[in-house]
Amino acid sequence: SSGINAEWPLRPGKNIAKYCTQTGDHYNISKCGGARNASMMKACDDKCGYLFAQAGLGDTTTGVILLIASLILLCVCLTTLVKTLQSLLLGRMAQTLKKHINSDLPYPVSWLTGYLFILVGTGMTILVQSSSVFTSALTPLVGLGVISLDRMYPLTLGSNIGTTCTAVLAALAATGDKRSVTIQVAISHLLFNIFGILVFYPVPFMRTIPINFAKMLGNTTADYRWFAILYLIVVFLLLPMLFIALSFSLPLLYVVITLIIAAVLFITILNILQDKIPEKLPEFLRTWDFLPKPMRSLEPYDSVLSKLICCRKSVDDADVIPLSVVTGAKTNPV
């Protein structure tokens, strides 16, 4: 807090955690001055009994260790959850769930089925207070064929709405002049998800876009295990960093966005023409063979990355039901 930083004797804010605890038994006024009640943490001497108290580590080092430990614990818990569901949902139980979850409402209200499952996904996510837990629990059910990909789609959309509930509740708990700002941020998060659903769900044609992309990415990952890691790094790390860097030069940003849109349109239109009317195209454009192999196939990269331990296919992969079998999708060459 500002009180602790203002009166810290040596290096303000550097090792606050080393001298802080919830109890005031070892409170040292020479280190904290009048900041005893300035924050949740109360300052004390080296006799504090919290984790890493006697390790002599600074706040930054302690925070990094706890961050890594919490991420590992989260991954272990999610993996355990997935494995438990896979072992439980077999046989008759899987058939019962598949029959009821994938069925539609009776006519003439069958078109409301997807919207009902959006509400179900919203409610379940609000209950568990985590969209990651909800979607991680359902993902293996899709792989086992218990839930269809078309049914998983509205459940995921509902989960995106339910996850904003925590932010809204936290915003309502704010006090003073900060409440209006926090509520604005929470409502922006909520409206962003709602408008995204309004774009990609009510119109039947728009629903096929994310579903087809999911099938394509799933089939690709089934063939190349390292593709999932590469996808996460590129989409959630490299691309945001690229656009943040380009935002400092708006003309350059517009040029890059224009080139990306042009490339996507060219690839999409050419794929459609190759599939529908290949005889109308020049011979060299009827396939993608005119491009170097690294630009039209992942095999050259797979020959290198598959040598890594984390990217090798295990023997058990042969027993896993492919996503294309569950969804009925066909693997198309790039």
Side-chain angles (χ1 to χ4, degrees):
S1 67
S2 59
I4 291 179
N5 288 339
E7 303 188 32
W8 205 259
L10 297 177
R11 304 175 70 179
K14 183 66 177 177
N15 292 297
I16 298 177
K18 186 176 181 180
Y19 301 98
C20 295
T21 181
Q22 290 290 346
T23 63
D25 298 338
H26 305 290
Y27 173 71
N28 192 323
I29 192 171
S30 65
K31 289 185 172 66
C32 300
R36 180 170 185 173
N37 298 317
S39 68
M40 293 177 59
M41 296 189 301
K42 307 297 188 296
C44 67
D45 58 20
D46 292 333
K47 297 181 180 180
C48 295
Y50 69 94
L51 189 63
F52 300 118
Q54 305 302 325
L57 302 176
D59 293 351
T60 302
T61 305
T62 303
V64 170
I65 293 175
L66 293 177
L67 174 62
I68 296 175
S70 62
L71 291 176
I72 294 175
L73 181 61
L74 176 63
C75 294
V76 170
C77 291
L78 289 177
T79 303
T80 305
L81 176 64
V82 169
K83 296 296 183 181
T84 303
L85 287 173
Q86 286 180 335
S87 62
L88 291 176
L89 298 176
L90 296 174
R92 182 174 298 179
M93 181 179 293
Q95 295 298 325
T96 303
L97 286 175
K98 182 177 180 179
K99 176 181 177 181
H100 289 86
I101 292 179
N102 296 323
S103 59
D104 294 334
L105 293 174
Y107 182 83
V109 293
S110 57
W111 61 275
L112 290 175
T113 304
Y115 298 97
L116 174 62
F117 277 93
I118 290 178
L119 295 178
V120 171
T122 301
M124 293 299 296
T125 304
I126 291 175
L127 289 177
V128 300
Q129 286 293 296
S130 174
S131 60
S132 298
V133 171
F134 180 72
T135 54
S136 297
L138 293 182
T139 299
L141 302 184
V142 179
L144 293 173
V146 177
I147 301 178
S148 66
L149 191 59
D150 291 334
R151 184 65 73 234
M152 181 66 179
Y153 181 44
L155 287 171
T156 305
L157 295 180
S159 178
N160 289 334
I161 297 178
T163 193
T164 63
C165 179
T166 304
V168 173
L169 293 176
L172 294 176
T175 59
D177 56 350
K178 302 296 183 182
R179 173 177 293 181
S180 61
V181 178
T182 55
I183 291 178
Q184 289 176 15
V185 174
I187 296 300
S188 298
H189 186 199
L190 174 63
L191 293 179
F192 176 82
N193 287 280
I194 291 177
F195 280 111
I197 292 175
L198 293 177
V199 170
F200 285 101
Y201 194 77
V203 181
F205 168 75
M206 297 298 293
R207 301 177 192 177
T208 62
I209 297 177
I211 291 177
N212 288 336
F213 268 106
K215 292 178 180 179
M216 180 187 69
L217 294 174
N219 290 325
T220 304
T221 305
D223 295 331
Y224 310 103
R225 294 187 61 176
W226 51 266
F227 180 78
I229 301 175
L230 178 65
Y231 174 82
L232 292 176
I233 294 175
V234 172
V235 174
F236 294 102
L237 181 62
L238 297 183
L239 283 181
M241 291 176 60
L242 173 63
F243 282 103
I244 290 175
L246 291 176
S247 64
F248 292 99
S249 177
L250 290 181
L252 182 59
L253 176 63
Y254 296 148
V255 171
V256 172
I257 293 177
T258 302
L259 292 176
I260 293 176
I261 294 176
V264 171
L265 289 176
F266 173 76
I267 294 173
T268 302
I269 294 174
L270 186 56
N271 272 327
I272 294 174
L273 294 177
Q274 289 175 349
D275 184 54
K276 301 297 182 181
I277 49 172
E279 66 278 0
K280 302 292 185 180
L281 294 174
E283 186 174 354
F284 76 97
L285 288 178
R286 295 178 182 178
T287 64
W288 290 100
D289 292 341
F290 66 92
L291 292 175
K293 194 169 184 179
M295 297 182 63
R296 57 183 169 85
S297 175
L298 296 176
E299 291 182 3
Y301 309 103
D302 184 63
S303 61
V304 177
L305 295 175
S306 60
K307 297 179 181 179
L308 302 176
I309 297 178
C310 62
C311 300
R312 292 176 182 173
K313 290 186 177 181
S314 63
V315 178
D316 295 336
D317 287 346
D319 300 328
V320 177
I321 301 175
L323 185 64
S324 58
V325 174
V326 177
T327 59
K330 296 181 179 179
T331 305
N332 295 321
V334 177

